Protein backbone atom coordinates (compact mmCIF):
# COMPACT_ATOMS: atom_id res chain seq x y z
CA UNK A 1 0.00 0.00 0.00
CA UNK A 2 1.43 3.44 -0.89
CA UNK A 3 2.27 5.83 1.95
CA UNK A 4 0.13 8.64 0.50
CA UNK A 5 -2.92 9.00 -1.75
CA UNK A 6 -3.69 12.22 -3.67
CA UNK A 7 -7.33 13.20 -4.11
CA UNK A 8 -9.07 16.25 -5.66
CA UNK A 9 -9.70 19.00 -3.09
CA UNK A 10 -12.94 20.91 -3.85
CA UNK A 11 -11.53 22.76 -6.85
CA UNK A 12 -8.45 24.12 -5.08
CA UNK A 13 -6.07 21.50 -6.45
CA UNK A 14 -4.93 18.16 -5.10
CA UNK A 15 -4.69 17.11 -1.49
CA UNK A 16 -2.38 14.29 -0.42
CA UNK A 17 -3.55 12.11 2.45
CA UNK A 18 -1.50 9.67 4.41
CA UNK A 19 -2.77 6.12 4.03
CA UNK A 20 -2.35 5.71 7.77
CA UNK A 21 -5.35 8.05 8.14
CA UNK A 22 -7.46 6.05 5.65
CA UNK A 23 -8.34 3.34 8.14
CA UNK A 24 -11.61 1.53 7.38
CA UNK A 25 -12.60 1.33 11.05
CA UNK A 26 -14.72 4.20 12.38
CA UNK A 27 -12.71 6.51 14.57
CA UNK A 28 -14.23 8.50 17.43
CA UNK A 29 -14.54 12.13 16.50
CA UNK A 30 -12.83 14.78 18.59
CA UNK A 31 -16.22 16.27 19.46
CA UNK A 32 -17.51 12.98 20.93
CA UNK A 33 -16.20 13.94 24.36
CA UNK A 34 -17.33 17.56 24.16
CA UNK A 35 -19.65 18.66 26.96
CA UNK A 36 -22.27 21.41 26.89
CA UNK A 37 -23.62 23.36 29.84
CA UNK A 38 -27.43 23.28 29.89
CA UNK A 39 -29.82 24.73 32.44
CA UNK A 40 -32.15 22.14 33.97
CA UNK A 41 -35.72 22.46 35.32
CA UNK A 42 -34.49 23.80 38.66
CA UNK A 43 -32.34 26.51 37.04
CA UNK A 44 -29.05 24.77 37.83
CA UNK A 45 -26.41 24.26 35.15
CA UNK A 46 -25.66 20.65 34.21
CA UNK A 47 -23.19 19.09 31.78
CA UNK A 48 -24.67 17.37 28.74
CA UNK A 49 -23.17 15.43 25.81
CA UNK A 50 -25.74 17.08 23.51
CA UNK A 51 -25.94 20.79 22.67
CA UNK A 52 -28.97 22.81 23.69
CA UNK A 53 -31.74 23.53 21.21
CA UNK A 54 -32.81 26.83 22.80
CA UNK A 55 -30.94 29.79 24.25
CA UNK A 56 -32.04 32.20 26.92
CA UNK A 57 -31.16 35.22 29.05
CA UNK A 58 -30.71 34.53 32.75
CA UNK A 59 -31.63 38.03 33.99
CA UNK A 60 -34.65 38.62 31.73
CA UNK A 61 -35.84 35.02 32.20
CA UNK A 62 -36.69 34.50 28.53
CA UNK A 63 -35.82 31.77 26.03
CA UNK A 64 -35.80 31.53 22.25
CA UNK A 65 -34.29 29.97 19.18
CA UNK A 66 -30.51 29.93 18.80
CA UNK A 67 -30.79 31.96 15.58
CA UNK A 68 -33.07 34.64 17.08
CA UNK A 69 -32.47 38.03 15.46
CA UNK A 70 -32.88 39.93 18.73
CA UNK A 71 -30.47 37.65 20.61
CA UNK A 72 -27.86 37.80 17.86
CA UNK A 73 -28.03 41.61 17.85
CA UNK A 74 -27.65 41.70 21.63
CA UNK A 75 -24.70 39.31 21.43
CA UNK A 76 -23.08 41.54 18.79
CA UNK A 77 -23.39 44.51 21.19
CA UNK A 78 -21.56 42.43 23.81
CA UNK A 79 -23.70 42.71 26.93
CA UNK A 80 -25.78 39.58 26.46
CA UNK A 81 -23.17 36.82 26.44
CA UNK A 82 -22.40 36.60 30.15
CA UNK A 83 -26.10 36.08 30.98
CA UNK A 84 -26.67 33.49 28.23
CA UNK A 85 -28.10 30.09 29.20
CA UNK A 86 -29.03 27.06 27.09
CA UNK A 87 -31.87 24.56 27.37
CA UNK A 88 -32.35 21.06 25.99
CA UNK A 89 -35.98 21.78 25.05
CA UNK A 90 -38.96 24.06 25.55
CA UNK A 91 -40.40 22.08 28.47
CA UNK A 92 -37.16 22.49 30.44
CA UNK A 93 -37.09 26.25 29.80
CA UNK A 94 -40.69 26.65 30.96
CA UNK A 95 -40.12 24.49 34.04
CA UNK A 96 -37.12 26.68 34.94
CA UNK A 97 -39.42 29.73 34.90
CA UNK A 98 -38.47 31.28 31.55
CA UNK A 99 -40.91 32.84 29.08
CA UNK A 100 -40.81 32.61 25.25
CA UNK A 101 -39.16 35.34 23.16
CA UNK A 102 -41.62 37.64 21.38
CA UNK A 103 -39.29 38.05 18.37
CA UNK A 104 -38.43 34.48 17.36
CA UNK A 105 -41.35 32.64 18.98
CA UNK A 106 -44.36 34.94 18.46
CA UNK A 107 -47.02 32.19 18.70
CA UNK A 108 -45.63 30.79 21.95
CA UNK A 109 -45.24 34.33 23.31
CA UNK A 110 -48.88 35.18 22.46
CA UNK A 111 -50.07 31.99 24.20
CA UNK A 112 -47.93 32.80 27.26
CA UNK A 113 -49.21 36.38 27.34
CA UNK A 114 -52.87 35.34 27.02
CA UNK A 115 -52.44 32.79 29.83
CA UNK A 116 -50.94 35.55 31.96
CA UNK A 117 -53.76 38.02 31.22
CA UNK A 118 -56.37 36.57 33.66
CA UNK A 119 -53.86 36.75 36.52
CA UNK A 120 -53.02 40.35 35.66
CA UNK A 121 -56.72 41.31 35.64
CA UNK A 122 -57.21 39.72 39.07
CA UNK A 123 -54.24 41.65 40.47
CA UNK A 124 -55.53 44.92 38.99
CA UNK A 125 -58.96 44.36 40.55
CA UNK A 126 -57.39 43.79 43.97
CA UNK A 127 -55.38 47.02 43.69
CA UNK A 128 -58.42 49.09 42.65
CA UNK A 129 -60.51 47.86 45.60
Amino acid sequence: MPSAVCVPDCGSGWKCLSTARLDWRPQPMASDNKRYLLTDETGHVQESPLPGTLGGHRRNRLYGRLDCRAALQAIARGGYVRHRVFFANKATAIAAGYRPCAVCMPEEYAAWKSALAPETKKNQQKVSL
Side-chain angles (χ1 to χ4, degrees):
M1 183 174 232
S3 62
V5 175
C6 294
V7 294
D9 184 24
C10 300
S12 64
W14 290 86
K15 183 176 183 180
C16 293
L17 303 172
S18 167
T19 55
R21 300 179 84 191
L22 298 175
D23 196 358
W24 63 270
R25 290 171 291 193
Q27 300 293 323
M29 299 197 51
S31 64
D32 285 352
N33 58 5
K34 188 169 185 173
R35 296 288 182 202
Y36 301 91
L37 298 177
L38 302 181
T39 304
D40 64 9
E41 296 86 2
T42 62
H44 295 96
V45 176
Q46 303 289 330
E47 279 190 1
S48 170
L50 301 173
T53 60
L54 298 169
H57 190 272
R58 183 177 293 115
R59 291 178 115 185
N60 293 341
R61 309 287 289 178
L62 61 91
Y63 72 92
R65 295 177 15 185
L66 296 176
D67 63 346
C68 176
R69 178 180 45 88
L72 294 177
Q73 288 173 347
I75 289 169
R77 287 191 302 269
Y80 190 87
V81 177
R82 66 182 203 182
H83 301 291
R84 189 92 160 131
V85 294
F86 297 94
F87 299 99
N89 53 41
K90 187 169 79 167
T92 305
I94 293 170
Y98 287 69
R99 70 164 178 86
C101 173
V103 175
C104 65
M105 304 178 88
E107 295 85 17
E108 290 90 342
Y109 177 78
W112 171 81
K113 187 110 174 156
S114 66
L116 189 66
E119 292 178 18
T120 306
K121 288 179 183 178
K122 288 179 185 177
N123 291 340
Q124 288 175 349
Q125 289 173 352
K126 288 180 184 178
V127 172
S128 64
L129 294 177

